[in-house]
Amino acid sequence: MTKGNGPAEEEVPEGLEELLKTDSTEEAQALKRDIHGFLRLYQRFLQKKGPALEWEKIQQPPEDRIQAYDLLQSTPLPKDVSELLNQLVVLKLNGGLGTSMAFPGPKSLMSVCNENTFLDLTVKQIEHLNKQYDCDVPLLLMNSFYTDEETQKVCKKYSHQRVQVQTFTQSRFPRIRRESRLPIARSLSMEGENAKAWYPPGHGDVYASLYRSGLLQEFLNQGKHFIFISNIDNLGATVDLRILGHLVTTATEDHPCEFIMEVTDKTPADVKGGTLIQHEGSLKLLEIAQVPQEHIDEFTSVSKFKIFNTNNLWVSLEAIKRLQDKGEDMDMDIIVNPKTLDGGENILQLETAVGAAIKCFPNALGVNVPRRRFLPVKTTSDLLLVMSNLYSLQDGCLTMNKFREFQTVPLIKLGASFTKVQDFLCRFQNIPNLLELDHLTVSGDVTFGKDVILKGTVIIIANHGEHIDIPTGTILENKIVAGNLRIHDH
């Protein structure tokens, strides 16, 4: 057990106490360490009185705490870029499954662009950096118990590429009943019915899990100083030399910047994204789950909260170690996630967000980055964008097609018939040309032939029981298609 992580003075909920006494296998011992992490979170959850944030005390961050990306662009890079990059570790959050698109297995193993998976693209990006600058940037994956086994198998195929891929597994916490606040686990096992008793506790667990894995100290011993953390499904989250350079430049100052959160301007499509606020003198992340119901409209307003968190974070490894050495959970705000399991049982999951740690770093900064650094693939609507000719692929990085007149992406809304990735792929003989598209809505049983071109605003609606097939070579510009291919001008 790591320093200060013992269960002293922790109130162990009924049921967990017996679990902690059983099973002495190595895996069980590791899980018991996880459970002590859960107990610290659980204790704070029980002691919480009222909201974590007082809405009336929320302020906009001071101007000097949100830096414009253009200002970083004006700072010259050091002559030796290799030396700069040799201080960096890249960490991808890889705990999620592809369930939102009915993909069987870790989401990172889903093919997204030219038959490359998210993980393939990430490896190619870092390998290109290592070759171009003759450096050694390692790739680190934080898996969950859902994704670890399959990811480990796939990682073997990268053994001959110029990138060191390492993994560790985040914690496993017990779900608790919504009413009694007691765990539903009957044993430490992940087999059978007991499997649903456990969950990965959100990406805020990265700091403690990285520390416990021993890899944090290992990287420090190798002379690494900074870690770039991002979601593996954000295809815009590539290594940025300017941001890294800013961290390295301030590292020698009396009050160095040890944490940078990339934020970007909010649009109506981003209303649920967390935002940076000033609260009682500290820079904090405010997530929608923390917002009182009566203030939801205010939170989602683009006029008041103008930026949101991309979850691209740059953090000092020394600072993480300093905080973890104290043996505390960094007091990150708890996100209470209510769920209903198959069978109807109502449970709670206690989670934390990786960006919530910003309040632990006194000189933390937000950097307002261009939208191109936020390109998440959460739905098949997003998948259509990144598979299309809107983007070109080079060395694992997607860049906007230079022939697109506007550098914003079209708004795409695909209906329920496209939700599952396999259904989505079957409905296109090939991906349409979207270069001049502004807005696409598709609803119902619709299929697309080859070489279809979509421009302006296109709306295609097949009513219940009807089928619409967009013929090969069709050009639709500012059209509404309904019924059996009745086409109207938009």
Side-chain angles (χ1 to χ4, degrees):
M1 193 176 302
T2 54
K3 180 182 175 184
N5 283 359
E9 300 183 10
E10 288 169 346
E11 179 186 329
V12 182
E14 183 183 342
L16 270 188
E17 191 166 14
E18 288 306 309
L19 294 184
L20 288 168
K21 294 176 183 176
T22 64
D23 204 334
S24 59
T25 64
E26 186 176 337
E27 182 183 2
Q29 291 305 311
L31 179 54
K32 289 173 186 178
R33 288 193 292 272
D34 290 350
I35 288 177
H36 290 312
F38 163 78
L39 289 175
R40 288 194 296 273
L41 208 61
Y42 181 74
Q43 284 294 92
R44 288 202 292 119
F45 167 67
L46 293 180
Q47 293 164 4
K48 188 173 111 178
K49 305 294 182 188
L53 297 169
E54 293 183 54
W55 193 261
E56 294 72 22
K57 294 184 178 180
I58 289 175
Q59 298 174 312
Q60 295 297 321
E63 288 185 12
D64 63 347
R65 303 300 295 277
I66 307 293
Q67 189 131 12
Y69 182 76
D70 290 345
L71 289 179
L72 299 188
Q73 290 288 82
S74 63
T75 305
L77 288 172
K79 291 180 180 178
D80 191 347
V81 175
S82 172
E83 184 180 340
L84 182 72
L85 286 167
N86 277 330
Q87 301 181 54
L88 182 67
V89 177
V90 173
L91 187 154
K92 293 292 182 179
L93 302 169
N94 185 47
L97 298 170
T99 47
S100 65
M101 290 182 271
F103 176 77
K107 187 177 181 181
S108 60
L109 306 185
M110 186 172 76
S111 181
V112 285
C113 189
N114 292 0
E115 299 186 1
N116 290 284
T117 67
F118 290 105
L119 186 52
D120 291 336
L121 293 173
T122 303
V123 169
K124 287 182 178 183
Q125 290 166 18
I126 299 175
E127 183 182 39
H128 175 68
L129 275 179
N130 288 338
K131 287 179 176 179
Q132 183 179 6
Y133 296 105
D134 192 24
C135 58
D136 179 23
V137 178
L139 171 61
L140 188 57
L141 303 173
M142 184 175 81
N143 302 332
S144 69
F145 60 82
Y146 291 132
T147 63
D148 187 58
E149 186 176 350
E150 286 188 65
T151 301
Q152 296 273 20
K153 290 176 183 175
V154 170
C155 282
K156 292 175 183 176
K157 76 176 185 177
Y158 306 121
S159 59
H160 299 296
Q161 294 182 244
R162 191 171 169 179
V163 56
Q164 181 186 14
V165 183
Q166 293 178 269
T167 68
F168 66 100
T169 308
Q170 73 172 114
S171 302
R172 179 177 131 194
F173 281 8
R175 286 170 165 152
I176 58 176
R177 293 182 174 88
R178 198 176 302 180
E179 298 302 324
S180 69
R181 305 294 201 253
L182 297 177
I184 66 174
R186 297 179 180 177
S187 73
L188 299 182
S189 168
M190 283 290 294
E191 303 298 323
E193 281 295 299
N194 207 57
K196 68 180 182 181
W198 306 95
Y199 70 99
H203 40 54
D205 178 57
V206 64
Y207 306 105
S209 289
L210 176 61
Y211 181 78
R212 285 200 310 270
S213 73
L215 289 169
L216 175 58
Q217 186 61 58
E218 188 178 310
F219 288 131
L220 287 169
N221 293 344
Q222 292 171 9
K224 308 294 184 188
H225 296 293
F226 302 100
I227 190 163
F228 173 42
I229 304 172
S230 62
N231 297 339
I232 200 160
D233 64 2
N234 179 7
L235 296 177
T238 57
V239 171
D240 187 287
L241 296 177
R242 300 288 176 179
I243 298 177
L244 176 59
H246 181 79
L247 280 172
V248 171
T249 301
T250 68
T252 57
E253 298 175 359
D254 291 338
H255 303 288
C257 176
E258 297 177 320
F259 189 108
I260 287 178
M261 174 184 289
E262 294 184 39
V263 297
T264 196
D265 292 339
K266 185 190 280 190
T267 72
D270 311 308
V271 293
K272 293 185 178 180
T275 191
L276 278 182
I277 58 166
Q278 187 85 353
H279 185 263
E280 297 186 331
S282 294
L283 200 60
K284 292 185 179 179
L285 176 66
L286 176 64
E287 298 277 12
I288 193 167
Q290 299 169 279
V291 178
Q293 191 62 39
E294 63 269 24
H295 293 291
I296 290 291
D297 288 345
E298 191 178 350
F299 175 82
T300 56
S301 165
V302 178
S303 58
K304 179 167 183 177
F305 297 103
K306 300 178 186 298
I307 56 173
F308 73 97
N309 169 30
T310 65
N311 224 36
N312 300 346
L313 308 171
W314 303 76
V315 194
S316 159
L317 289 170
E318 286 94 343
I320 296 173
K321 184 176 187 299
R322 183 177 69 239
L323 289 164
Q324 288 297 315
D325 277 343
K326 295 178 181 179
E328 300 167 0
D329 62 3
M330 297 168 71
D331 197 32
M332 288 184 284
D333 293 331
I334 299 171
I335 298 170
V336 180
N337 187 0
K339 287 183 177 287
T340 301
L341 301 179
D342 293 340
E345 188 166 18
N346 294 320
I347 59 95
L348 298 177
Q349 296 182 179
L350 307 183
E351 303 175 4
T352 55
V354 60
I358 194 169
K359 68 178 184 180
C360 303
F361 300 84
N363 297 297
L365 273 182
V367 173
N368 195 341
V369 298
R371 184 73 184 199
R372 66 175 182 270
R373 293 196 54 75
F374 184 68
L375 187 56
V377 180
K378 303 293 184 186
T379 65
T380 51
S381 297
D382 300 327
L383 191 59
L384 179 59
L385 284 173
V386 300
M387 293 179 76
S388 76
N389 63 336
L390 284 168
Y391 293 95
S392 58
L393 177 66
Q394 184 173 6
D395 302 316
C397 299
L398 291 180
T399 53
M400 182 72 77
N401 190 319
K402 63 182 179 181
F403 294 109
R404 180 162 173 83
E405 187 174 351
F406 303 106
Q407 290 301 297
T408 55
V409 297
L411 181 62
I412 295 181
K413 297 179 181 179
L414 300 180
S417 299
F418 292 79
T419 300
K420 298 179 180 179
V421 67
Q422 286 304 320
D423 293 345
F424 163 86
L425 293 171
C426 289
R427 290 182 176 276
F428 295 97
Q429 288 192 38
N430 64 8
I431 300 299
N433 180 328
L434 306 184
L435 206 54
E436 298 179 51
L437 180 69
D438 297 321
H439 179 184
L440 172 67
T441 295
V442 183
S443 178
D445 182 8
V446 179
T447 53
F448 292 79
K450 289 184 178 180
D451 304 325
V452 171
I453 300 174
L454 304 175
K455 300 180 179 184
T457 296
V458 177
I459 300 171
I460 307 172
I461 300 173
N463 295 323
H464 182 70
E466 295 177 336
H467 169 75
I468 294 177
D469 179 50
I470 307 299
T472 292
T474 299
I475 300 174
L476 295 176
E477 181 173 6
N478 295 323
K479 299 294 183 184
I480 298 174
V481 182
N484 293 309
L485 264 184
R486 295 189 300 274
I487 301 177
H488 309 278
D489 289 334
H490 180 265

